[in-house]
Amino acid sequence: MMERELSDEEEDSENLISQNARKNDAVKSPDHHNNRSAFRIDDELRGRVSGAARRFNKRYILAIFLPVVILIVYLTTDLKDVFRTRVPSIRDIGGGGFLVNRMRESELRALYLLKQQEIELVKMWNYSTLVGGSNFSLVNGSGSVNLNSGGDSGVLEDLKSRVFGQISLNRQIQGALLSAHEGEASVDLPANYTDSSLSDWTRCKKVDQRLADRKTVGWNPTSKKYLFAICVSGQMSNHLICLEKHMFFAALLNRVLVIPSSKVDYEFHRVLDIDHINKCLGRKVVMTFEEFAESKKNHLHIDKFMCYFLLPQPCFMDDERVKKLKGSGVSLSKVEAVWKEDVTKPKQRTVQDVLAMFSSDSEVIAIGDVFFADVEREWVTQPGGPIAHKCKTLIEPSRLILLTAQRFIQTFLGRDFVALHFRRHGFLKFCNGKQPSCFYPVPQAAECINRIVERASTPVIYLSTDAAESETGLLQSLVVLNGKTVPLVRRPARNSAEKWDALLYRHGLEGDSQVEAMLDKTICALSSVFIGSSGSTFTDDILRLRKDWGSASQCDEYLCRGELPNFIAEDE
């Protein structure tokens, strides 16, 4: 065994002999075997010690420096960046930002084309404005529509609205493209229109009432000459219109108008500012029944009772109204008919007709209900009415109601809102008795409302209605603009936490149905756009206020104007 090991060592040693050594060198010395054995043990031991030392030094150095290296790497490197996959940007691709340059060129080219489109759209806008008062033809799917100064300007306004919308969209696209080049271009987009009329244009702008062209009559009452107002037909709105016409008659006949007693008529002093009328004229032109009674020392007598309407009954008064007048302490003279006038077919009358038939030397006269009277229609219905005064209108809500309406708008609606008078109670039978009918199914009404809301671009609708919750709930679900429901806001029930109606509460006016009706009218009259119910005097009075106050819009209209109900029930 020992021999085998020695033989192996010798073989290994021989293999370590340099190739340049002579083969016979090892055989020349007789002691070569013993010498090799002695020196080999020493060399092998020295080699093993040296190898161990080298291995120990490497491990020692590694053990010392490796933690130091790790610590340095940890302190100087964000490990998240090491494992984060880096997506090359467009600037790194295509050789030095070639694609970036291409994209910039495309964007600038798009901006140039949009600018050219804007110029052409503005030219179309200017042309539509130019032809606004001239003959103009449009061709649509149903044929040619002719526009002229006396025609339907709504079609032209729709065209202008669409052009304006495209210009606005154009500017939005330009702004989006330029936002990527904030450091390279600076354009004041909102003010960069080539036509200054675009900057403040709205589809539903206010109507120019041409107040300078008003035709008016002065109201200068003769001392101790009175016209006793009597209004019978309909509800409060009818009576307000009747009072307005009585004022015109009083002005023509130079008489002071006496407001009816609350025992006979509505409590007008709760909804109207009587003193406002006198202030607008600068003299005493109207007085309350109480003031009249005091001036006459309760000897109240109508000296001459001349009926404007004879049919269907004299002065359009029934026995109940006569009893109420007598119950308030007023005695009546014999009723006289000055002409044969029928409330169902009133004739157009002139100022000369009124002066000829109703002039009198009597101290107190009455002419009965004049709601249906048709005297100088264009004169009476002009903005501000037919009487010369220094206010916007003579018959308007009281100051308390006006302030309450303003506070409600500030709380719930804001400046831009559509007001809708949606008359329903008793309107089905009333409208179906007319030709054509004015009672529309809720879905059809919603479609008409949606069109106006889209045109007006308002975020909320104030709803004045006597409809049931079942109808208003369905209507609310169907009134939608750009996929979003447009809220229908109604006056909420009184809540002590809300202060918008505090004025009415403090003055004992809360809960009064006529005050609430006038409040509704006032809110509607202050809206940006108004949608009314055809055939309703409530709507007519709102339109009068809007016209007089200057709040009337070109988008104001009756609900579903020009349309027939898509379904009409048969008669009973």
Side-chain angles (χ1 to χ4, degrees):
M1 184 71 177
M2 180 66 79
E3 291 178 359
R4 183 176 179 181
E5 289 179 0
L6 290 175
S7 175
D8 292 338
E9 289 179 3
E10 289 176 358
E11 182 176 348
D12 291 340
S13 179
E14 288 177 355
N15 292 335
L16 294 173
I17 296 175
S18 173
Q19 292 181 356
N20 295 326
R22 292 189 296 253
K23 294 181 180 181
N24 296 328
D25 286 347
V27 186
K28 286 183 180 179
S29 175
D31 298 327
H32 73 277
H33 178 75
N34 295 330
N35 292 338
R36 186 191 66 79
S37 298
F39 285 106
R40 183 184 179 283
I41 294 173
D42 185 59
D43 292 340
E44 184 177 2
L45 179 60
R46 209 180 290 129
R48 287 180 179 177
V49 172
S50 176
R54 285 195 299 271
R55 287 194 299 273
F56 176 79
N57 290 338
K58 291 178 181 179
R59 291 173 183 172
Y60 182 79
I61 293 171
L62 186 63
I64 293 175
F65 285 100
L66 184 58
V68 176
V69 172
I70 293 174
L71 181 61
I72 294 172
V73 171
Y74 178 80
L75 294 176
T76 60
T77 306
D78 186 354
L79 295 180
K80 291 187 294 183
D81 290 337
V82 175
F83 298 101
R84 181 181 295 160
T85 302
R86 183 173 180 269
V87 180
S89 66
I90 296 177
R91 295 181 181 275
D92 298 329
I93 304 175
F98 173 73
L99 289 182
V100 174
N101 293 334
R102 288 283 301 274
M103 289 184 64
R104 181 178 291 110
E105 291 177 3
S106 298
E107 290 174 351
L108 294 176
R109 177 64 177 171
L111 283 169
Y112 170 78
L113 294 175
L114 285 171
K115 187 63 179 178
Q116 296 303 116
Q117 182 193 45
E118 181 200 4
I119 292 172
E120 293 303 317
L121 287 171
V122 171
K123 288 181 180 178
M124 292 175 61
W125 170 272
N126 293 337
Y127 182 69
S128 66
T129 304
L130 179 65
V131 301
S134 307
N135 293 331
F136 184 58
S137 296
L138 294 175
V139 178
N140 54 25
S142 60
S144 177
V145 179
N146 293 323
L147 299 177
N148 52 55
S149 56
D152 184 10
S153 61
V155 178
L156 181 60
E157 286 297 320
D158 285 338
L159 172 63
K160 293 174 66 174
S161 177
R162 294 179 185 278
V163 173
F164 182 80
Q166 290 302 311
I167 294 175
S168 299
L169 177 61
N170 175 286
R171 303 300 287 167
Q172 292 176 28
I173 298 172
Q174 290 188 57
L177 289 171
L178 283 173
S179 63
H181 303 275
E182 292 179 354
E184 302 176 21
S186 177
V187 178
D188 186 5
L189 290 176
N192 196 36
Y193 293 117
T194 55
D195 191 322
S196 60
S197 65
L198 286 168
S199 59
D200 59 353
W201 182 85
T202 59
R203 172 64 180 86
C204 299
K205 60 185 178 181
K206 302 302 180 185
V207 176
D208 182 6
Q209 301 294 352
R210 303 175 62 90
L211 296 178
D213 299 335
R214 284 182 65 206
K215 181 181 180 181
T216 60
V217 60
W219 190 356
N220 300 289
T222 303
S223 177
K224 296 184 179 181
K225 297 291 184 179
Y226 305 97
L227 173 62
F228 197 93
I230 297 177
C231 298
V232 179
S233 61
Q235 303 300 317
M236 171 68 87
S237 297
N238 295 47
H239 287 226
L240 292 177
I241 296 172
C242 175
L243 276 181
E244 185 181 24
K245 291 184 178 181
H246 262 104
M247 289 166 55
F248 184 41
F249 280 95
L252 294 177
L253 300 172
N254 295 321
R255 292 177 175 270
V256 173
L257 182 67
V258 179
I259 304 296
S261 168
S262 58
K263 295 180 181 179
V264 178
D265 210 327
Y266 292 104
E267 296 183 87
F268 292 108
H269 67 279
R270 294 173 69 87
V271 296
L272 300 178
D273 189 346
I274 306 300
D275 289 337
H276 165 78
I277 302 174
N278 292 322
K279 290 176 182 178
C280 291
L281 272 297
R283 62 187 69 89
K284 190 76 170 180
V285 294
V286 295
M287 64 169 50
T288 63
F289 178 82
E290 290 71 24
E291 291 175 322
F292 174 68
E294 184 178 352
S295 68
K296 301 292 291 183
K297 301 187 183 301
N298 291 322
H299 296 292
L300 308 178
H301 180 70
I302 297 178
D303 302 315
K304 196 163 188 176
F305 209 134
M306 300 172 283
C307 293
Y308 187 96
F309 287 104
L310 179 62
L311 301 173
Q313 54 198 18
C315 293
F316 203 50
M317 288 178 54
D318 54 17
D319 293 338
E320 182 181 356
R321 187 55 55 107
V322 173
K323 289 179 181 180
K324 285 184 177 181
L325 279 172
K326 292 181 178 180
S328 65
V330 178
S331 59
L332 309 177
S333 62
K334 183 180 178 181
V335 175
E336 303 177 18
V338 297
W339 51 34
K340 190 176 181 179
E341 189 79 4
D342 190 340
V343 296
T344 61
K345 299 177 181 179
K347 298 177 181 179
Q348 293 187 14
R349 302 292 185 175
T350 65
V351 169
Q352 289 72 25
D353 294 333
V354 172
L355 293 175
M357 304 306 295
F358 296 99
S359 294
S360 173
D361 293 330
S362 299
E363 186 175 353
V364 182
I365 67 170
I367 58 177
D369 194 312
V370 291
F371 171 75
F372 295 100
D374 188 2
V375 178
E376 303 286 1
R377 184 185 307 169
E378 294 184 1
W379 197 356
V380 170
T381 58
Q382 66 184 337
I387 300 172
H389 57 82
K390 59 184 179 181
C391 300
K392 291 183 177 180
T393 185
L394 294 179
I395 296 182
E396 66 177 17
S398 69
R399 181 68 176 168
L400 290 176
I401 293 177
L402 178 60
L403 289 175
T404 301
Q406 292 174 350
R407 291 182 176 186
F408 179 86
I409 292 171
Q410 183 177 359
T411 302
F412 295 101
L413 302 172
R415 181 181 61 185
D416 296 323
F417 67 98
V418 170
L420 168 64
H421 175 223
F422 193 51
R423 172 74 185 275
R424 302 297 276 184
H425 181 68
F427 224 44
L428 175 58
K429 184 176 181 180
F430 170 79
C431 281
N432 282 357
K434 299 178 62 178
Q435 293 295 331
S437 175
C438 52
F439 191 89
Y440 298 90
V442 172
Q444 184 179 1
E447 291 180 3
C448 299
I449 295 167
N450 285 336
R451 289 197 295 268
I452 299 175
V453 171
E454 181 181 11
R455 197 184 315 161
S457 187
T458 52
V460 66
I461 298 174
Y462 178 69
L463 177 62
S464 173
T465 186
D466 54 6
E469 188 66 30
S470 56
E471 292 184 68
T472 58
L474 176 59
L475 182 67
Q476 174 64 92
S477 67
L478 296 174
V479 178
V480 179
L481 177 63
N482 297 327
K484 297 181 179 180
T485 300
V486 180
L488 300 179
V489 179
R490 302 179 67 177
R491 284 185 298 104
R494 170 159 176 76
N495 188 330
S496 59
E498 298 175 357
K499 300 302 180 183
W500 62 269
D501 57 350
L503 289 175
L504 299 183
Y505 179 77
R506 288 203 301 265
H507 289 81
L509 296 175
E510 81 288 351
D512 187 314
S513 60
Q514 297 308 319
V515 171
E516 292 180 350
M518 183 60 78
L519 179 59
D520 260 12
K521 283 185 182 180
T522 309
I523 296 171
C524 291
L526 294 172
S527 64
S528 304
V529 174
F530 174 64
I531 307 171
S533 294
S534 176
S536 167
T537 54
F538 190 94
T539 283
D540 292 341
D541 203 36
I542 293 172
L543 292 173
R544 176 189 65 82
L545 279 174
R546 290 179 63 79
K547 179 177 57 181
D548 292 352
W549 282 350
S551 59
S553 162
Q554 290 184 345
C555 294
D556 290 356
E557 64 178 58
Y558 293 115
L559 181 65
C560 296
R561 180 184 63 183
E563 293 185 27
L564 292 175
N566 57 31
F567 186 88
I568 300 177
E570 296 178 356
D571 294 335
E572 297 180 17

